[in-house]
Amino acid sequence: MDTAALMVRNIRLSYQDGMIVNDFSLSLKPQELGCLLGPSGCGKSTLLRAIAGFQELDSGEIWLDNELLSTERHRDIALFPHLTVAENIAFGLAGWSEESQDKRIAELLELIGLTGLNQRYPHELSGGQQQRVALARAMAPKPKLLLLDEPFSGLDTELRGRLASEVRTILKSDGICSLLVTHDQREAFDFADRIAVMHDGHICQFDTPFNLYHEPTSPFVAHFVGPGEMIDARVEGPRSVSSPLGVLTHDADLEFEVGSDVQIFLRPDDLIHDDDSSYQATLVGKHFRGAHHLYEVKLDNGVVLGCFAPSHHNHAIGERIGVSLDIEHLVVFPK
């Protein structure tokens, strides 16, 4: 058996109305933080329930620390709860001595940054503090695997991102392996070491956040993890394509024959506003993002692309502006 904290092999799950998860496999290393990322209905929460033991498998195996769990109905795994009582951190510590419980509670309160608040009631805590106490309760018995199903869904966008980063730090400090379910790309990037992008019950790509963003293996993954546009191109050589933006080069041999029609995927950070550039485009849309603008620029051939610009470059719609390419990872797909 491979050295993995969690090993999911060839899982199939279905309801009466059809297949939900089909031939799903995934593994997490000890202390690794993973994520199931995908749109509603892709099967990610159903899969998490199966790993927790609340959903029967049609076929496949689930291993935890080299122990086969596929036929077990009760797992020594903590689920992230939606708490109503913030002080109930000791919920899972039955059988521990009082001294051990007090020590573990104090240790966790310090870890989540809430030392001194152990006597507070839920209504006296902020939403973020309540989520951290919920996490402490789930972590208290030192589970082999912590499963988190949309734990920040009731919070605002800014707080979600901050808590995802905080929870990552806490879990890393305590050495707990964890699997998060979310539909939020930013939340996944803030939390996970590796992310499984799911669609229609299967994994499209299981990779690091960096690789998912810069080296997506399918158009679905490319679009789901961040903004971008497809433009037509043609393979000119083993490592080059011709496009409306000129000839672009790849850092490795392309898996396409010379002369093939392809599409390249460009993100807003591949095209930047450059006052000194001779290459001009027309500004047709802009979105203020604080530190930068997300511009929409129309090239002379009619192609509209996203383009980042520093926020102090406040150009008007309809204005001609200079743009330049800053492509380090050329993403090419068959047309």
Side-chain angles (χ1 to χ4, degrees):
M1 179 62 61
D2 297 329
T3 55
L6 173 69
M7 179 78 72
V8 179
R9 288 180 169 174
N10 307 118
I11 293 298
R12 291 170 61 90
L13 299 166
S14 64
Y15 291 136
Q16 292 181 350
D17 56 354
M19 187 66 61
I20 303 297
V21 174
N22 188 16
D23 196 27
F24 183 100
S25 297
L26 173 148
S27 67
L28 291 178
K29 303 171 186 176
Q31 303 184 28
E32 185 175 23
L33 304 183
C35 176
L36 304 178
L37 172 67
S40 298
C42 72
K44 56 188 185 297
S45 290
T46 301
L47 180 61
L48 200 75
R49 287 179 56 80
I51 296 172
F54 301 131
Q55 176 76 36
E56 293 284 356
L57 305 180
D58 292 345
S59 62
E61 299 176 339
I62 300 173
W63 295 77
L64 182 64
D65 279 354
N66 295 338
E67 178 187 357
L68 180 63
L69 299 179
S70 302
T71 57
E72 300 292 331
R73 297 305 306 152
H74 299 286
R75 309 282 168 78
D76 183 21
I77 297 174
L79 291 174
F80 196 107
H82 297 283
L83 286 182
T84 56
V85 180
E87 293 179 313
N88 200 16
I89 296 176
F91 179 82
L93 299 181
W96 290 42
S97 68
E98 184 175 349
E99 181 181 358
S100 296
Q101 287 190 32
D102 290 343
K103 181 179 179 181
R104 180 63 172 157
I105 292 170
E107 178 183 81
L108 286 168
L109 285 173
E110 181 178 2
L111 194 61
I112 64 174
L114 296 181
T115 298
L117 301 186
N118 51 311
Q119 298 302 313
R120 296 271 181 102
Y121 288 91
H123 69 272
E124 299 176 299
L125 301 174
S126 69
Q129 288 174 327
Q130 290 177 22
Q131 293 285 15
R132 279 182 277 167
V133 173
L135 176 67
R137 185 174 100 169
M139 292 172 57
K142 297 187 177 180
K144 296 176 182 177
L145 177 67
L146 183 66
L147 303 179
L148 308 175
D149 191 359
E150 298 276 6
F152 315 118
S153 58
L155 305 176
D156 63 72
T157 302
E158 191 64 33
L159 184 55
R160 286 168 67 108
R162 188 166 75 247
L163 272 179
S165 295
E166 290 179 359
V167 169
R168 172 184 171 82
T169 300
I170 291 168
L171 291 175
K172 285 292 187 182
S173 297
D174 214 38
I176 294 177
C177 179
S178 183
L179 185 62
L180 167 76
V181 160
T182 184
H183 63 276
D184 187 293
Q185 166 261 341
R186 176 183 171 183
E187 190 174 300
F189 281 11
D190 284 336
F191 176 86
D193 299 314
R194 287 191 296 162
I195 300 167
V197 177
M198 293 185 62
H199 184 53
D200 289 340
H202 69 276
I203 293 180
C204 300
Q205 187 174 348
F206 184 37
D207 219 326
T208 64
F210 182 92
N211 287 346
L212 290 175
Y213 189 84
H214 292 293
E215 301 175 10
T217 58
S218 72
F220 177 82
V221 173
H223 283 290
F224 195 80
V225 303
E229 299 292 338
M230 292 285 191
I231 64 173
D232 292 336
R234 174 165 290 189
V235 178
E236 290 292 314
R239 297 189 177 189
S240 63
V241 298
S242 60
S243 76
L245 299 172
V247 176
L248 307 177
T249 58
H250 195 259
D251 55 2
D253 287 348
L254 297 167
E255 298 180 358
F256 303 97
E257 293 184 1
V258 173
S260 300
D261 289 327
V262 294
Q263 289 188 311
I264 57 176
F265 186 76
L266 295 177
R267 298 198 184 277
D269 47 318
D270 292 324
L271 189 68
I272 59 175
H273 171 42
D274 182 359
D275 284 325
D276 297 325
S277 175
S278 59
Y279 197 92
Q280 297 285 300
T282 303
L283 183 60
V284 295
K286 66 178 184 178
H287 309 276
F288 185 67
R289 295 289 188 262
H292 67 271
H293 284 290
L294 173 56
Y295 283 161
E296 295 168 16
V297 297
K298 179 183 284 188
L299 308 183
D300 291 340
N301 59 11
V303 173
V304 177
L305 297 173
C307 170
F308 281 145
S311 61
H312 56 273
H313 287 226
N314 191 23
H315 293 283
I317 299 294
E319 191 175 339
R320 297 280 286 177
I321 64 171
V323 295
S324 62
L325 292 174
D326 186 22
I327 301 176
E328 293 190 15
H329 302 273
L330 188 62
V331 178
V332 185
F333 296 114
K335 186 172 181 181

